Amino acid sequence: MTEFAQDTVKPNADNPTAPRILHWLPAAFLLTVVAVGAIATLTSPGFREAQPDKTVINGEWMLSWEKNLDSKVPWRTPSVNLWGGLNYRLFGEAQDGALIGQYGWLFTNEEFQTASTDAAEFQSKIAYVKQVRDQLAKDGAKLVVALIPAKVRIYPQEVGRAGVPASHDTLYADFRDRLEDADIAAPDLAAALKAARSQGNVFLRTDTHWTPLGAEIAARAVAETVQELNLELPPADYSLTHKPDVARAGDLLRYVPVPEDVGPELDRVSEPEYTRTDEGGGGLLGDESIAVTLVGTSYSADSKDNVWHFDDALAAALGTEVLNAAQEGKGPIVPMREYLKSQDRKDNPPQVVVWEIPERFLRVVYDAE
Amino acid sequence: MVFSSNVFLFLFLPLFLIIYYLLPFKWRSAWILLGSYALYSWWRVDFLWLLIAITVVSYWFGLVLGRQPDGQRRRWTLVTAVVLNLAALGYFKYANFGIESFNAITQSLGFQPFAFTPILLPIGLSFFIFHAISYIVDVYRREEPPTHKLLDFAAFIALFPHLIAGPVLKYNLLADQFRTRTHTLEKFSYGATRFMTGFAKKVLIADTIAPLVTAAFNQPNPTMADAWLGALAYTLQLYFDFSGYSDMAIGLAAMMGFKFPENFNHPYISRSITEFWRRWHMSLSSWLREYLYISLGGNRKGRARTYLNLWLTMVLGGLWHGANWTFVLWGVWHGSILAVERRMKEASLWKPSPAWLTIPGTMILVMLGWVMFRADNVPDAFRMYGGMLGLNGVGLSDTLAWQVKGSVLLTMLLAAVLVYVAPLWGQRVGDVGSRLLKPALAVGATVTLLPLFVLAVMKLSAQSYTPFLYFQF
């Protein structure tokens, strides 16, 4: 007897005693699936799309082509829907990327994640904010950080079974404390938003972002902080109206690919419309200076999904025009890097820059510039 | 190109099979070679030269060994051929590890580290080097005449079902099959069944469990529940991933008329580590016995040397898996237990124990080994061991709890049922020997498999890319 295995070949590879149906059924089935899949693959747009600028010799072209093909095979969407639907109906789970809480509340995974690099990244973010503060100060501009609390921080009861990691408990307050130590103004938006919960939802149930109410509450808190800087901002007046409220599918519903009547109930949103009512606002050809610049993420960016209009709410709360340099999908660091180098900054030297930083990005590591 | 991918399943496989079956038998080896090189090149074209060089050099040494009479000179030819192959393995697989280890020592002594550019590990290198060595040694031992058909030999080395992650094959198992093999609908159907089984095991079970494994092994301070859940999840993931791959390889080979040896035989019902190695990655175990353990002297040089040979075989087998101290320590762990078990048997200290005691006992030893095998580095592994001992608390930590999904736990439960109930069930059915029951069960299992395969294809498309775990070795 030996400690190691012997080679064994299964004797039943072509077992004549197996039921006759097994002699042909698996082959016929596999070949049918492969044939149908092959025809669908050959006719899919991904098959014909070349990958310019990719090198064949090192496999770069193949990787890129295959990735593109995978995303465009005709059974991709039905597959996502089938498996997403099964997970939701059988287990009440979303696909990787979101968590389903209680009462139809969805949360992004990013607000729960932890890593061993978190503490170091926290320090690195503080250092970068200080660096930005100093760079702006050279041109006489002040920095105000609008630190947006995680949705789970405002609605912890709605998270349900999973619970938020305790290491996140003091993250918001700690970061604000460190900013305060560095003499960087940062209003307590978490307290303001928590206090406003009785007026309505301050975050959308099915979206990562805040509601128009949440954006307005935050804008008022930021405006109070800016006003404490005693700057002379060019005045502007705004009026606020609301569009009729409509059902809105939030970005987190992408992780729950089920029909609307099966999945979490949609949010109802009444989109605000801010209109400038005074005689200012030089428009494209005007020479009115804009003293406040807003830099940040999708919470501020002027994108097609933006129904909260934080930039307008901030302008209305400050009573001055706001230049919006926020960008969607890049986190808070990249838009600031780009803004610091931009022509916008040279053309409109600000008195104050409001930098909107969502709490969940504090742990995200960005490539060095 | 992995077997569980759209490009393999719906482009490579149909094109390959259509042309394969249209060609007369004498052209099929050439087509296998071309197809296998194309599959390898899909990863990187610029490393195909290495596969071709290993093939040509080993083929040439085979011819030389075949001509040479027994003696010292022939022995030196063997040593040169094996060393050349191992040098390739050493350069591409272990150079980074060697330099990093050297730098760690020199830096700890206050010297400047040696600057180097990391070397890329060619995919499947460990496997095709072992295939080449097995051929050279077989020819040297005169167990197999040297082949004069370079095409057949190159096709054996590159044969795509086993090229990237095994099974580790010996040339003498396939040499005859390259000369003659049958192609029947029954054999193709058997291959299709094995392929679909492996595909479902990999995509439906292993890939579902994978995120929990990653989350558990990433815990900075794993609790007892975190660590044991992670170890159990990885134990199941690794088995279903690798045995799934092996099923697919055996199935693809059968579709081309080849018979590959089995690679797994219900390893987790083993009642000792010795038995485990007769059931786990059997092709590697068999290779290690034939070409390493026996070459080291096996059990022919006394008791102490036998234990040492066992130990060394497992340590080197561990190192073969990857250039990391974790694999070395994993090998040390298994080698030591194998030596102890052998000693106990020889000293008649090994008493038959009930299965309810020995199967869980063996599983715990295996799981402890897998923790080292899976960890990124030795300190990480000991962090997990600390967690298993409860050094960071007992209950599930809040950093892991939100990542533990009901669907994953149910999949783990089903996987555990398959691991433990399936072999028992098979044995019972075999015992009953019913002429009615066995065929009915076979048909039932196949009919269940077919929709599962379609579900797996759809799941593959719904999820992101997940390569097989053994591709990294």
Side-chain angles (χ1 to χ4, degrees):
Chain A
M1 210 53 169
T2 169
E3 276 72 8
F4 303 106
Q6 308 282 335
D7 285 318
T8 51
V9 178
K10 266 197 178 171
N12 61 341
D14 40 6
N15 182 5
T17 63
R20 288 204 67 78
I21 192 172
L22 298 187
H23 289 185
W24 61 268
L25 179 65
F29 187 84
L30 178 65
L31 291 176
T32 305
V33 171
V34 166
V36 171
I39 292 165
T41 305
L42 290 169
T43 54
S44 79
F47 181 78
R48 292 182 297 277
E49 286 169 9
Q51 303 297 310
D53 311 324
K54 301 286 178 192
T55 315
V56 170
I57 195 86
N58 63 6
E60 196 185 42
W61 186 93
M62 289 77 111
L63 192 66
S64 173
W65 186 84
E66 189 174 348
K67 220 173 166 181
N68 183 51
L69 178 78
D70 286 345
S71 67
K72 292 183 179 168
V73 289
W75 59 91
R76 162 97 175 159
T77 305
S79 300
V80 169
N81 292 342
L82 173 76
W83 277 99
L86 280 175
N87 271 345
Y88 182 73
R89 287 166 208 253
L90 297 178
F91 303 101
E93 292 168 0
Q95 291 182 300
D96 282 345
L99 285 182
I100 295 180
Q102 301 193 90
Y103 321 119
W105 281 79
L106 305 181
F107 297 90
T108 169
N109 270 4
E110 292 168 359
E111 293 188 354
F112 296 79
Q113 286 167 347
T114 52
S116 54
T117 52
D118 288 358
E121 192 50 38
F122 181 93
Q123 301 299 337
S124 155
K125 289 282 191 313
I126 291 283
Y128 185 65
V129 175
K130 286 184 192 170
Q131 196 184 317
V132 170
R133 186 263 323 265
D134 295 344
Q135 202 168 337
L136 290 172
K138 281 182 195 165
D139 299 329
K142 302 272 187 189
L143 174 67
V144 172
V145 172
L147 185 63
I148 303 179
K151 184 172 162 183
V152 292
R153 185 172 301 288
I154 306 302
Y155 291 100
Q157 305 303 320
E158 280 69 13
V159 172
R161 182 189 63 85
V164 187
S167 57
H168 289 206
D169 283 353
T170 58
L171 181 64
Y172 188 88
D174 289 348
F175 198 79
R176 272 195 70 240
D177 287 348
R178 295 297 305 277
L179 293 177
E180 201 173 304
D181 294 345
D183 216 13
I184 297 170
D188 188 353
L189 301 186
L193 290 169
K194 271 184 191 166
R197 283 179 304 189
S198 56
Q199 299 171 42
N201 285 347
V202 293
F203 274 92
L204 293 162
R205 272 188 305 100
T206 66
D207 202 288
T208 321
H209 303 91
W210 45 23
T211 59
L213 173 65
E216 193 182 336
I217 299 292
R220 276 191 233 144
V222 173
E224 274 177 35
T225 305
V226 173
Q227 278 149 7
E228 284 166 13
L229 300 174
N230 293 319
L231 304 169
E232 279 192 22
L233 305 174
D237 294 332
Y238 295 87
S239 71
L240 171 62
T241 55
H242 284 92
K243 291 180 185 174
D245 78 324
V246 290
R248 181 182 182 279
D251 58 2
L252 295 171
L253 279 173
R254 285 197 302 247
Y255 298 100
V256 190
V258 292
E260 273 182 19
D261 57 329
V262 176
E265 192 186 339
L266 303 188
D267 287 289
R268 295 206 67 84
V269 180
S270 170
E271 189 175 348
E273 282 188 303
Y274 292 87
T275 313
R276 186 150 178 196
T277 53
D278 61 349
E279 290 176 358
L284 281 173
L285 301 173
D287 56 0
E288 184 184 49
S289 67
I290 303 177
V292 180
T293 298
L294 173 64
V295 181
T297 68
S298 53
Y299 287 81
S300 306
D302 195 9
S303 62
K304 70 178 172 58
D305 292 325
N306 180 344
V307 292
W308 37 87
H309 299 287
F310 176 61
D311 51 350
D312 294 336
L314 183 62
L318 283 167
T320 191
E321 285 276 356
V322 171
L323 178 75
N324 190 348
Q327 297 184 53
E328 190 182 21
K330 292 188 175 177
I333 303 297
V334 175
M336 179 53 84
R337 282 180 190 161
E338 291 181 7
Y339 170 67
L340 291 174
K341 290 184 283 191
S342 71
Q343 193 62 35
D344 261 357
R345 186 174 163 228
K346 287 176 190 152
D347 295 345
N348 298 287
Q351 291 186 54
V352 60
V353 172
V354 176
W355 188 8
E356 165 259 295
I357 303 177
E359 179 187 351
R360 73 174 199 273
F361 288 105
L362 294 181
R363 56 175 300 279
V364 176
V365 180
Y366 292 91
D367 292 336
E369 212 172 350
Chain B
M1 193 186 300
V2 298
F3 300 156
S4 54
S5 67
N6 289 319
V7 74
F8 177 82
L9 198 55
F10 300 120
L11 293 177
F12 179 87
L13 188 61
L15 180 69
F16 179 85
L17 287 178
I18 287 169
I19 295 178
Y20 179 84
Y21 276 97
L22 286 175
L23 287 172
F25 188 83
K26 63 177 179 178
W27 288 104
R28 285 180 180 168
S29 287
W31 179 238
I32 287 172
L33 182 64
L34 199 65
S36 301
Y37 281 174
L39 185 132
Y40 194 81
S41 301
W42 195 254
W43 170 66
R44 286 185 72 121
V45 184
D46 52 356
F47 275 86
L48 190 60
W49 70 267
L50 182 63
L51 176 59
I52 295 172
I54 296 284
T55 304
V56 172
V57 167
S58 301
Y59 170 78
W60 183 79
F61 271 103
L63 292 178
V64 173
L65 283 167
R67 282 197 302 268
Q68 282 180 327
D70 290 347
Q72 198 63 16
R73 198 167 168 182
R74 190 163 183 267
R75 193 172 169 77
W76 275 111
T77 307
L78 168 76
V79 170
T80 309
V82 171
V83 164
L84 275 176
N85 271 291
L86 291 179
L89 190 64
Y91 175 74
F92 286 103
K93 190 162 183 170
Y94 301 106
N96 294 341
F97 174 61
I99 296 169
E100 281 164 12
S101 300
F102 175 77
N103 279 347
I105 295 168
T106 52
Q107 277 182 289
S108 68
L109 297 173
F111 296 104
Q112 283 292 313
F114 176 74
F116 75 105
T117 308
I119 297 154
L120 185 68
L121 172 64
I123 194 166
L125 177 71
S126 310
F127 289 91
F128 61 74
I129 290 277
F130 267 30
H131 293 146
I133 290 177
S134 82
Y135 168 72
I136 291 163
V137 176
D138 282 354
V139 172
Y140 173 78
R141 289 175 178 167
R142 305 212 187 275
E143 288 172 5
E144 183 66 31
T147 181
H148 291 269
K149 292 188 172 179
L150 177 60
L151 195 67
D152 281 0
F153 179 69
F156 157 73
I157 297 284
L159 188 61
F160 72 84
H162 76 139
L163 173 63
I164 310 294
V168 185
L169 299 183
K170 287 176 281 186
Y171 181 65
N172 61 22
L173 274 174
L174 288 199
D176 287 341
Q177 298 186 49
F178 271 100
R179 287 189 280 271
T180 172
R181 61 185 180 277
T182 58
H183 298 84
T184 64
L185 182 59
E186 290 93 321
K187 197 189 264 187
F188 193 97
S189 258
Y190 170 78
T193 305
R194 288 298 294 266
F195 180 81
M196 290 189 285
T197 304
F199 196 97
K201 281 163 85 172
K202 155 77 177 159
V203 178
L204 295 182
I205 297 178
D207 288 354
T208 304
I209 298 172
L212 177 61
V213 175
T214 307
F217 276 81
N218 281 345
Q219 292 304 303
N221 299 302
T223 62
M224 187 184 267
D226 294 352
W228 282 102
L229 183 65
L232 178 64
Y234 183 62
T235 300
L236 293 169
Q237 185 207 356
L238 184 62
Y239 173 63
F240 280 91
D241 188 283
F242 191 26
S243 74
Y245 175 86
S246 298
D247 283 337
M248 291 164 84
I250 291 167
L252 287 167
M255 287 186 223
M256 293 150 64
F258 288 100
K259 286 184 179 178
F260 274 12
E262 289 301 318
N263 217 11
F264 291 90
N265 181 20
H266 308 298
Y268 290 156
I269 61 164
S270 301
R271 299 170 68 164
S272 66
I273 293 295
T274 306
E275 185 182 349
F276 176 77
W277 278 104
R278 287 191 216 119
R279 291 173 174 273
W280 176 273
H281 203 173
M282 292 152 67
S283 66
L284 174 69
S285 175
S286 166
W287 195 101
L288 290 174
R289 172 176 55 84
E290 287 280 325
Y291 302 107
L292 189 55
Y293 179 65
I294 290 175
S295 300
L296 287 169
N299 57 4
R300 305 184 306 274
K301 298 192 173 179
R303 200 173 274 176
R305 184 64 191 274
T306 301
Y307 303 143
L308 180 67
N309 289 344
L310 268 176
W311 190 84
L312 271 176
T313 301
M314 293 313 294
V315 173
L316 292 172
L319 189 61
W320 172 85
H321 281 83
N324 194 324
W325 289 107
T326 53
F327 294 117
V328 176
L329 289 178
W330 174 74
V332 168
W333 173 250
H334 277 276
S336 304
I337 299 173
L338 280 182
V340 168
E341 284 182 359
R342 189 175 181 107
R343 171 71 193 138
M344 286 174 76
K345 271 182 192 155
E346 285 174 353
S348 302
L349 295 168
W350 190 268
K351 301 276 185 266
S353 304
W356 62 264
L357 200 65
T358 48
I359 292 177
T362 304
M363 268 302 285
I364 288 171
L365 294 177
V366 169
M367 282 167 69
L368 290 172
W370 286 148
V371 168
M372 183 60 76
F373 191 83
R374 168 62 175 76
D376 290 336
N377 49 54
V378 176
D380 277 5
F382 279 99
R383 213 162 28 77
M384 283 292 276
Y385 290 136
M388 291 170 116
L389 290 171
L391 298 184
N392 303 313
V394 176
L396 210 57
S397 67
D398 55 9
T399 47
L400 184 66
W402 68 272
Q403 301 178 79
V404 180
K405 294 181 169 183
S407 54
V408 177
L409 293 179
L410 183 70
T411 306
M412 285 175 64
L413 184 67
L414 287 173
V417 167
L418 286 173
V419 162
Y420 290 105
V421 176
L424 207 68
W425 179 263
Q427 196 184 346
R428 284 281 159 83
V429 171
D431 291 345
V432 171
S434 160
R435 287 189 175 180
L436 286 176
L437 188 60
K438 261 180 117 170
L441 281 172
V443 172
T446 305
V447 169
T448 309
L449 172 67
L450 306 183
L452 285 178
F453 174 65
V454 174
L455 275 176
V457 170
M458 295 186 80
K459 185 167 187 289
L460 176 76
S461 196
Q463 74 193 15
S464 51
Y465 172 74
T466 47
F468 289 94
L469 293 177
Y470 256 67
F471 275 28
Q472 63 187 296
F473 307 133

